[in-house]
Amino acid sequence: MDLADIGVTGLATMGRNLARNLARHGYAVAVHNRSGSRTQQLVREFGGEGTFLPSEELADFVASLKRPRRAIIMVKAGRGTDAVIDQLADLMEPGDMIVDGGNAHFEDTRRREAALRERGIHFVGTGISGGEEGALNGPSIMPGGSKESWEALGPILQDISAKVDGVPCAVHVGPDGAGHFVKMVHNGIEYSDMQLIAESYDLLRQALGATPAELAGVFREWNQGDLDSYLIEITAEVLDQVDAETGKPFVDVVVDRAEQKGTGRWTVQSALELGVPVTGIAEAVFARALSGHPEQREAARPLQGPELTGVGGKELVEDVRQALYASKIVAYAQGFDQMAAASKEYGWDLDLGAMATIWRGGCIIRAKFLDKIRAAYDADRALPTLLADPSFAGALNAAQESWRRVVTTAVRIGVPTPGFSSALAYYDGLRRDRLPAALVQGLRDYFGAHTYLRVDKDGAFHTDWSGDRAERPAS
C-alpha cells in the first residue's frame, strides 16, 4: 500500500490545519485522532486538498508511515502528551522521529528527549506559532532535537512554514528542549507586547476621552511606521468592532478578565532561575492575574484616585507611540537576554539572529523591527544586550522624554501602566553607573554576614556590625 511522508495525530484545530498545510504542499499525510470522528471529518471536508491516509488505530497510523517514520503529535500538553509518546514509541523503531508540536514545558521536552534517545528514537520538541491561521497557511516553526532529525524533517518544515523575503521561518534551534524554550520565550514576549498595547489604548482612552473607533485609527496610523506588526494591525480591527446585539464597541461588552495558558508564567519562572530580569513579561503576567480577581477589585471600590480627563491631545498620542516602541524594544531585549542565558546554561549554542529571522513571519509577534534585531546580532553575535546596539540605543534615547511624560501622565490621572513603568525603570537601571544594590549588600552583611565585595580591592569582606565594626576578609 502507499505510505505517508509524515503523520499527524491529534486533529483539533491546530493539528487539523497543520495536516492540511502539509497535504497542500504535496506531502502524503497520515492522520489519526483518538476519536475517529475527527479523522473522518477531516478527510470528508478537506480530502480534496491533498493525500490523506486516515487510521482509526494508532498502530495502523504508525504502519502507514514511510521509514524513517515521522509523526507529529498535536495534543494538549501534560500527562496526555506522555501517554501518546509512550504509545507511539512502543510502535516505532530506532531512527524514527516523534515531533511534539504542542506548547510543552521545555524541561518536559528535555526529559522526553533523553529517554527516547536511549531507545534510538529522535524526539523533536517543536514550537509552532501563528495560531490556527498560521498552522494552515504558514507558521513560524522552532524545532529542537538532534541534527539528524533536522536533516530528515527540516526540508518539510521549511516548506510549510511562513516565508519572508523568500526565507523560511523555520530553523533548527538546538538540541533537546531548545525549540520549546524559544517558543516559550516567544509567548512571554507576546504577553508583554499585548500588555503594552492595552496600556496604550487605556491611557489614551482615559486621558483623551477617545472612542475605541477613534483609537482604531490611531493604531492603523502607527502600523505604518516603526510599530508595524501583526498585533498592532489586529488591535485596530478589534477596536473598530461593534457588537451586533447592543451596538456598543466590542471591547466594552467583553469581560475585562484576561486568561492565560501558562507559557508566560513559565517564562518568568525560568527567568528567575536563570537570574535574568524579564520585568516586562512579569508585569504582563501579573496584570492578567490582577484582572482575574474581580472579587478583590470589587472590594477595593472605596479606594480613591484622581478624576482627571482631557489632559492631552496630539502630543500625548505621539508620546504614547514613542513610549510603546521604546517599551517594546525593552521587552524583546529581555526575552533575547533570557534565550542567551539559557543557551549558555544548557549548552544549546542558540543563534539569536536566526530566532529574530524566523519570528518575522507566521508567528504572533511578527513585526517589522525584527529585521533590526537580526541586523544587530549579525553585526555582533556576542551583543550583551540589544539596548547596546547603536540603532536601538538611538531609538531609546530619542524616545526617553516622551516615555517619561507618558508614565508621569499615567500616574497623575491614575491609569495603571505597569508595562511602561517597569520598562522605563529597567532602562534607567541599566544605564546607571551605580545602583543602590551596594546598600542592599550592606544590609545583607549586617543581618546575615553574607559578605560583600569592594570597588578598590579584590576579595570578599565582612564587617563585624555587632562588635567593633572592623572589616575583615571573609574566611
Side-chain angles (χ1 to χ4, degrees):
M1 88 179 169
D2 293 334
L3 296 176
D5 301 300
I6 193 166
V8 178
T9 179
L11 301 177
T13 303
M14 284 290 291
R16 178 187 64 196
N17 282 2
L18 193 66
R20 292 174 59 196
N21 188 353
L22 287 160
R24 287 177 173 187
H25 281 82
Y27 298 102
V29 187
V31 288
H32 168 268
N33 194 74
R34 186 174 61 178
S35 61
S37 59
R38 279 188 174 172
T39 309
Q40 297 163 10
Q41 182 182 12
L42 168 63
V43 176
R44 183 172 61 253
E45 294 184 8
F46 305 108
E49 294 183 343
T51 302
F52 295 102
L53 280 68
S55 296
E56 294 290 325
E57 301 296 333
L58 199 60
D60 295 332
F61 168 76
V62 172
S64 68
L65 295 169
K66 292 178 182 176
R67 289 180 172 82
R69 302 179 181 94
R70 294 169 286 204
I72 302 175
I73 301 172
M74 297 297 292
V75 299
K76 186 176 181 180
R79 294 179 182 176
T81 305
D82 278 317
V84 175
I85 291 170
D86 290 343
Q87 293 169 31
L88 273 175
D90 288 342
L91 296 166
M92 286 186 159
E93 301 171 347
D96 290 344
M97 286 153 271
I98 298 176
V99 183
D100 180 7
N103 276 331
H105 192 283
F106 78 97
E107 290 286 14
D108 287 337
T109 301
R110 297 188 76 207
R111 168 179 56 80
R112 291 161 180 159
E113 193 276 337
L116 290 179
R117 192 189 329 134
E118 292 185 357
R119 302 173 60 174
I121 297 172
H122 298 281
F123 184 72
V124 185
T126 302
I128 300 176
S129 179
E132 57 185 86
E133 180 181 345
L136 180 62
N137 297 316
S140 174
I141 308 177
M142 297 152 260
S146 66
K147 291 181 179 179
E148 293 83 0
S149 63
W150 171 248
E151 290 174 0
L153 283 165
I156 297 176
L157 298 182
Q158 290 186 325
D159 198 14
I160 68 167
S161 72
K163 311 291 188 302
V164 177
D165 300 329
V167 178
C169 293
V171 70
H172 182 229
V173 174
D176 56 73
H180 275 145
F181 185 93
V182 167
K183 175 55 162 57
M184 177 190 75
V185 173
H186 164 283
N187 285 19
I189 293 173
E190 178 185 308
Y191 272 56
S192 183
D193 216 339
M194 286 192 286
Q195 176 65 24
L196 293 168
I197 289 170
E199 290 178 17
S200 301
Y201 150 76
D202 191 27
L203 180 57
L204 290 176
R205 187 171 186 184
Q206 299 306 316
L208 305 179
T211 66
E214 289 170 339
L215 293 176
V218 170
F219 278 94
R220 284 199 178 92
E221 183 176 343
W222 286 356
N223 201 44
Q224 303 305 309
D226 288 336
L227 288 170
D228 181 352
S229 67
Y230 173 68
L231 284 172
I232 294 291
E233 175 188 341
I234 67 172
T235 295
E237 295 298 314
V238 173
L239 289 177
D240 231 359
Q241 181 73 6
V242 175
D243 177 54
E245 185 174 337
T246 64
K248 295 180 179 179
F250 170 77
V251 291
D252 289 345
V253 300
V254 175
V255 174
D256 58 338
R257 186 166 62 246
E259 298 181 357
Q260 52 184 309
K261 292 186 177 180
T263 47
R265 182 173 65 251
W266 291 348
T267 306
V268 176
Q269 291 170 338
S270 166
L272 289 171
E273 293 172 355
L274 291 167
V276 179
V278 292
T279 53
I281 299 170
E283 290 294 352
V285 173
F286 292 142
R288 292 196 190 190
L290 178 63
S291 77
H293 288 280
E295 72 290 347
Q296 290 183 332
R297 293 162 62 197
E298 181 62 33
R301 290 287 182 266
L303 300 179
Q304 296 181 357
E307 295 292 338
L308 296 173
T309 57
V311 296
K314 289 185 178 179
E315 67 280 0
L316 179 61
V317 175
E318 174 59 18
D319 280 348
V320 172
R321 184 192 69 81
Q322 293 203 44
L324 176 55
Y325 186 57
S327 300
K328 184 185 181 84
I329 292 172
V330 168
Y332 279 70
Q334 292 178 347
F336 276 79
D337 288 347
Q338 184 173 358
M339 288 190 291
S343 180
K344 183 177 180 180
E345 175 71 16
Y346 302 115
W348 287 337
D349 192 28
L350 298 183
D351 182 344
L352 299 182
M355 300 308 100
T357 298
I358 64 173
W359 286 351
R360 294 183 306 155
C363 69
I364 303 302
I365 65 171
R366 58 187 185 265
K368 178 181 179 180
F369 94 132
L370 281 161
D371 279 323
K372 294 182 179 180
I373 295 179
R374 180 185 62 174
Y377 283 112
D378 284 348
D380 182 2
R381 186 168 179 176
L383 191 67
T385 169
L386 276 174
L387 274 57
D389 173 75
S391 174
F392 288 120
L396 291 169
N397 290 338
Q400 61 131 348
E401 291 301 329
S402 289
W403 205 356
R404 296 183 194 284
R405 284 193 294 268
V406 165
V407 173
T408 301
T409 299
V411 171
R412 187 158 59 92
I413 69 175
V415 173
T417 54
F420 284 150
S421 301
S422 67
L424 181 58
Y426 179 84
Y427 168 86
D428 281 334
L430 205 61
R431 68 177 183 80
R432 286 281 297 276
D433 290 334
R434 278 184 64 79
L435 294 169
L439 176 57
V440 172
Q441 282 300 90
L443 295 173
R444 293 180 72 244
D445 188 62
Y446 191 108
F447 67 70
H450 293 298
T451 75
Y452 52 87
L453 305 178
R454 293 180 58 98
V455 298
D456 55 357
K457 61 179 75 172
D458 294 333
F461 299 87
H462 167 62
T463 293
D464 185 3
W465 298 101
S466 59
D468 61 6
R469 298 209 170 190
E471 180 182 81
R472 298 177 178 85
S475 57

